[in-house]
Amino acid sequence: MPQVLTVSCKLEVTPSQVEKLDAVLRAFASCCEYVNKNTNQKLTNQIAVQSLIYKEARDYSGMSAQMTIHAIRRVCANRKTAKQQNRPVKGFAPTSATYDARTFTFREKDWTVSLTMVKGREKFRLHIGNYQRHLLAGTNPKSAVLAKRKDGTYYLQIQLESEPPQPEKTLQVLGVDLGRTDICVTSEGEKFNGEQITQVRDRYARVRASLQQRASKGTRSSRRRCRQLLQRLSGRERRFQTQVNHAVSYRLIQHAKKTSQTIALENLTGIRERTNQQPRSQTQRRRSNSWAFYQLRQFLTYKAVKFGVNLVFVDPRYTSQTCHKCLHIHPVRGESYRSGKKFRCGHCGWIGDADENAAKNISSLGLILDQPRGSGLACSLEQHVLGLLKSPTERVSRSGKFKYR
């Protein structure tokens, strides 16, 4: 299955070209609105919607045939998403338009693109750096998305298709435990310390709280200035998180590829809603909810496909309460098994880093996913983590009779 990588390229535009770009964005959005209002809201099949309203939508918007088809396709995609989220389709803003091989052409010779406008085509020069040039060199992209940002700049999201390498089959699994004190800890003991990251995030939080307080008082100009600073601060903190997650994910993927290992992660879907039900201070709640762990998972996912590394997700239950040495599960209440970053097993006496212990358990669970034979875990861990039946396991003896173990 091909992998699609999106390259964001800024366009160099003239005042006359700005009018043409705005015109095509307005036409695309109005076409989407027309299709959405004049067809059944429950209809999500593109072919069915296209057969009903294609001619009318093209006459209404004045766009080319392909642009009209892409507008119908976007409406159907938005309806499917809205149906999954149990909400109505929102309005379509004139901020983006979809292009394909018939309406978009890329030229590596002079680093320009040709786009279909409402009337005719227009050539634009790409204002890009060496990173984008490296990705686009020697490619023949077939699709792109024209986008207008809030600051008035225009970008072309060029989509590149490639065939990623097949992941190697291996019995070695690198478990990765995510957290706040350490962004992640591997089963091999490697740690990505989050102390400096926490200090940076706390500084952003203090500055943001101060600006929010000033934005509610003072003169009109001072309040407007504080709101502008808050917006800049938000983008700066978001870019900081993205850079850290990119660096961590790339290092993990390269290490797994070099050592021929599979990466195992916890499936933390819904963890934020569950942890927020626990009594915690405002600072602890902010630190838990503000870091983009899902973004780190996304970066690991697409980088694993790109570099041919297998990535698996395991059930997170009891990974932090189980001793990786004796596989004894410690109760949440009663015996104290963890104090901060220190884990102490009350069954075998093992003492060590709690996150590293969890990472080793994640590694064992990740290995089980590729093992068709027995799990090798304790019965209690099998029943709770793997969801196995409580009935005894049957085994066929040499005589052909069933025995229980």
Side-chain angles (χ1 to χ4, degrees), residues 85-102:
Q85 299 178 356
N86 194 21
R87 61 170 179 81
V89 177
K90 297 181 180 180
F92 296 87
T95 56
S96 64
T98 308
Y99 285 84
D100 61 7
R102 298 184 180 182

Side-chain angles (χ1 to χ4, degrees), residues 51-339:
S51 62
L52 290 175
I53 202 171
Y54 163 74
K55 185 177 180 180
E56 293 81 357
R58 184 180 180 185
D59 295 338
Y60 176 82
S61 62
M63 296 191 302
S64 63
Q66 286 298 114
M67 299 286 288
T68 306
I69 292 174
H70 281 296
I72 296 174
R73 182 177 300 171
R74 177 173 295 188
V75 172
C76 295
N78 285 15
R79 286 179 176 178
K80 292 178 181 178
T81 303
K83 185 178 180 181
Q84 293 175 353
Q85 299 178 356
N86 194 21
R87 61 170 179 81
V89 177
K90 297 181 180 180
F92 296 87
T95 56
S96 64
T98 308
Y99 285 84
D100 61 7
R102 298 184 180 182
T103 56
F104 152 73
T105 306
F106 166 71
R107 285 187 57 181
E108 183 182 348
K109 182 179 179 180
D110 53 359
W111 300 104
T112 59
V113 292
S114 176
L115 302 177
T116 298
M117 299 288 102
V118 177
K119 295 182 180 179
R121 293 177 74 95
E122 193 74 19
K123 183 181 292 187
F124 301 90
R125 185 174 180 84
L126 298 179
H127 185 72
I128 55 179
N130 292 331
Y131 175 75
Q132 290 85 352
R133 293 175 188 266
H134 169 72
L135 295 175
L136 293 173
T139 62
N140 186 22
K142 302 295 184 181
S143 59
V145 176
L146 173 65
K148 181 180 181 180
R149 299 191 177 180
K150 293 182 179 180
D151 58 358
T153 57
Y154 298 88
Y155 282 79
L156 192 65
Q157 315 291 348
I158 302 178
Q159 299 166 356
L160 304 177
E161 289 189 4
S162 61
E163 287 292 340
Q166 291 294 329
E168 298 181 4
K169 293 185 178 180
T170 177
L171 296 180
Q172 298 180 356
V173 179
L174 180 68
V176 179
D177 180 68
L178 305 179
R180 292 199 324 267
T181 305
D182 292 325
I183 294 299
C184 67
V185 179
T186 68
S187 56
E188 296 179 352
E190 185 179 8
K191 302 177 182 179
F192 296 85
N193 193 288
E195 182 179 356
Q196 183 180 2
I197 296 174
T198 301
Q199 294 176 358
V200 174
R201 293 166 60 198
D202 289 345
R203 177 170 57 85
Y204 278 124
R206 290 193 300 268
V207 175
R208 184 166 53 248
S210 176
L211 290 175
Q212 288 173 347
Q213 184 179 7
R214 295 181 182 182
S216 60
K217 302 177 181 179
T219 61
R220 182 176 181 181
S221 60
S222 64
R223 295 197 302 268
R224 182 175 66 251
R225 180 58 177 168
C226 288
R227 289 193 295 268
Q228 293 174 353
L229 291 175
L230 282 171
Q231 186 176 5
R232 287 174 53 189
L233 185 68
S234 174
R236 189 177 301 174
E237 185 175 5
R238 183 175 62 252
R239 290 190 295 271
F240 168 73
Q241 288 187 347
T242 302
Q243 190 273 333
V244 172
N245 285 334
H246 266 303
V248 172
S249 60
Y250 183 81
R251 184 168 174 179
L252 288 174
I253 293 296
Q254 291 300 316
H255 177 72
K257 181 177 177 61
K258 183 178 179 180
T259 56
S260 299
Q261 294 186 97
T262 295
I263 294 181
L265 284 177
E266 294 175 301
N267 185 8
L268 299 178
T269 303
I271 186 65
R272 183 168 295 176
E273 290 75 11
R274 295 193 296 270
T275 55
N276 283 339
Q277 297 176 358
Q278 303 175 1
R280 293 181 299 172
S281 64
Q282 183 179 3
T283 302
Q284 293 297 328
R285 186 182 297 272
R286 173 184 57 78
R287 289 176 178 176
S288 295
N289 296 341
S290 60
W291 189 255
F293 286 109
Y294 181 70
Q295 184 189 67
L296 177 58
R297 169 177 168 169
Q298 288 179 313
F299 290 169
L300 283 169
T301 301
Y302 91 82
K303 285 182 172 66
V305 175
K306 180 180 179 180
F307 293 102
V309 176
N310 192 23
L311 180 67
V312 296
F313 297 92
V314 302
D315 196 319
R317 290 179 292 178
Y318 302 100
T319 55
S320 298
Q321 304 172 23
T322 305
C323 175
H324 74 280
K325 285 290 186 182
C326 63
L327 302 182
H328 180 78
I329 301 179
H330 295 267
V332 178
R333 296 179 181 177
E335 182 182 1
S336 177
Y337 62 90
R338 178 171 181 172
S339 176

Side-chain angles (χ1 to χ4, degrees), residues 392-398 400-405:
T393 305
E394 295 178 344
R395 183 176 61 184
V396 181
S397 65
R398 293 183 179 179
K401 298 181 180 179
F402 288 99
K403 293 183 178 181
Y404 294 97
R405 62 178 183 181

